[in-house]
């Protein structure tokens, strides 16, 4: 049980760091470079999801012996995450534009 709690704490720390990376890049893109919310969210997730995947697979979780290479797992994980982020980005942009009263994409 103690080992599981330590693993959960490590994953939360890695995920929290990923969130900080994501939010920092998002803030830079929206505040300083004037990207719209949807595009900024899609771009800012790439370094953070890559960080979380790499650190989690190397430091948090034991790598099991499978026939699927790590790069293939990353591609699957990346594609899955990008579909989710794409959908959420459009919803976020719609909410932002609804509150701000602007068209969906500028």
């Amino acid at each position: 049980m103690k080992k599981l709690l330590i693993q959960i704490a490590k994953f939360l720390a890695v995920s929290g760091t990923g969130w900080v990376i994501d939010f920092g890049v998002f803030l830079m893109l929206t505040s300083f470079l004037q990207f719209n919310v949807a595009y900024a969210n899609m771009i800012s997730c790439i370094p953070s999801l890559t960080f979380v995947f790499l650190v989690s697979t190397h430091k948090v979780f034991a790598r099991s012996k499978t026939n699927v290479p790590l790069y293939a797992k990353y591609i699957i994980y990346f594609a899955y995450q990008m579909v989710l982020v794409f959908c959420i980005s459009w919803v976020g942009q719609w909410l932002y534009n609804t509150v701000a009263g602007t068209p969906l994409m500028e």
Side-chain angles (χ1 to χ4, degrees):
M1 183 65 161
K2 183 178 177 181
K3 185 177 178 181
L4 178 61
L5 291 175
I6 290 171
Q7 188 177 28
I8 290 170
K10 285 180 180 179
F11 183 72
L12 290 175
V14 170
S15 296
T17 304
W19 181 83
V20 169
I21 293 167
D22 191 346
F23 188 71
V25 173
F26 177 81
L27 189 62
M28 180 188 67
L29 292 173
T30 56
S31 297
F32 301 116
L33 300 176
Q34 303 301 311
F35 277 56
N36 73 25
V37 172
Y39 294 141
N41 193 46
M42 287 182 242
I43 293 168
S44 69
C45 77
I46 294 171
S48 60
L49 74 87
T50 301
F51 170 81
V52 170
F53 179 83
L54 292 174
V55 174
S56 292
T57 56
H58 286 36
K59 302 291 183 188
V60 177
F61 300 110
R63 289 195 284 179
S64 59
K65 304 291 184 198
T66 66
N67 292 334
V68 181
L70 191 59
Y71 75 87
K73 290 178 183 180
Y74 174 72
I75 291 170
I76 293 165
Y77 175 76
F78 183 85
Y80 167 74
Q81 290 294 325
M82 289 308 294
V83 167
L84 291 176
V85 167
F86 178 79
C87 293
I88 292 300
S89 295
W90 283 102
V91 169
Q93 186 68 51
W94 177 80
L95 288 172
Y96 174 82
N97 290 341
T98 299
V99 171
T102 59
L104 181 58
M105 298 302 286
E106 297 174 352

